[in-house]
Amino acid sequence: MTREQIRAAGRAVLRLLGEYRGYAVRRNERGLDAVFYAYLRGAAYSASRQHRVWMYGSSRPQRIDFRIGGNPRSVIELAVRPPDGRYELGAESNHAELKKLARVKQGEAHMRYLLLIDQSARRGPIPRADLKAEYDLMNAGRGHFTRNPVRVVYAHAEDEYDFHWSPWAG
């Protein structure tokens, strides 16, 4: 998936959620997981869920939300801010997801995405400069392992953008 396609997917999920107001659709990450997966499969992407990634020092594999086959292969972690705005989409909240994505080997995925879906209508969109500055302070941690960059994609009903996150920052 390209970054334009992932941004389009974020817009589509927000649009689909807008059409289901009043229905029993869970607005948290668990509920949006199914909606996003259905979108990927409906858009004819060869998507799989819960892709396993082995990390050094771990007795069991970590799981990445989605893996998209084809060319280029991609992995996607999904982070959601519900309409009431309880959870933040900041770097501190998503540090574990960034670390997992940064450790996915080049042979498994060419692109790594952290998709931030912001459903908060009261607060409005998070400015790009604020979010990027927060993510620029994070790194992938210490140790001898391969680090790969991650593309952070933000989607809100009023704004969307993406930026590059370096695992060497901080």
Side-chain angles (χ1 to χ4, degrees):
M1 271 183 107
T2 65
R3 66 178 163 180
E4 290 80 19
Q5 290 170 321
I6 197 84
R7 285 173 75 164
R11 282 192 310 269
V13 167
L14 286 169
R15 191 172 49 253
L16 288 169
L17 290 171
E19 294 174 9
Y20 276 89
R21 293 202 188 277
Y23 290 92
V25 176
R26 296 180 73 180
R27 303 291 178 161
N28 57 10
E29 184 174 342
R30 189 172 185 183
L32 264 62
D33 182 89
V35 174
F36 189 66
Y37 185 62
Y39 170 81
L40 291 173
R41 297 297 295 208
Y45 292 109
S46 59
S48 62
R49 293 185 62 247
Q50 302 300 316
H51 179 67
R52 294 171 186 239
V53 177
W54 286 94
M55 294 193 191
Y56 179 76
S58 178
S59 60
R60 14 176 236 187
Q62 300 289 316
R63 293 185 181 160
I64 302 253
D65 292 339
F66 302 98
R67 181 173 187 266
I68 311 297
N71 201 6
R73 291 182 302 274
S74 308
V75 288
I76 303 168
E77 272 290 331
L78 189 63
V80 176
R81 182 179 179 186
D84 57 10
R86 289 184 309 225
Y87 305 107
E88 296 299 324
L89 298 175
E92 192 68 38
S93 301
N94 294 304
H95 191 231
E97 284 79 6
L98 287 171
K99 285 171 53 174
K100 283 192 291 186
L101 287 168
R103 292 179 186 210
V104 175
K105 295 177 183 163
Q106 196 68 21
E108 292 183 55
H110 297 286
M111 295 299 296
R112 293 148 199 82
Y113 295 105
L114 175 61
L115 178 58
L116 308 174
I117 304 273
D118 188 353
Q119 302 174 74
S120 177
R122 284 184 281 169
R123 296 185 182 175
I126 301 170
R128 181 185 189 279
D130 294 350
L131 202 57
K132 181 164 179 16
E134 189 176 333
Y135 275 83
D136 284 345
L137 298 175
M138 286 287 157
N139 61 41
R142 297 171 53 176
H144 297 288
F145 57 89
T146 303
R147 293 164 173 82
N148 292 294
V150 175
R151 174 77 41 190
V152 179
V153 180
Y154 176 82
H156 186 275
E158 299 172 19
D159 195 12
E160 68 178 50
Y161 53 82
D162 61 88
F163 57 86
H164 176 268
W165 175 76
S166 172
W168 299 98

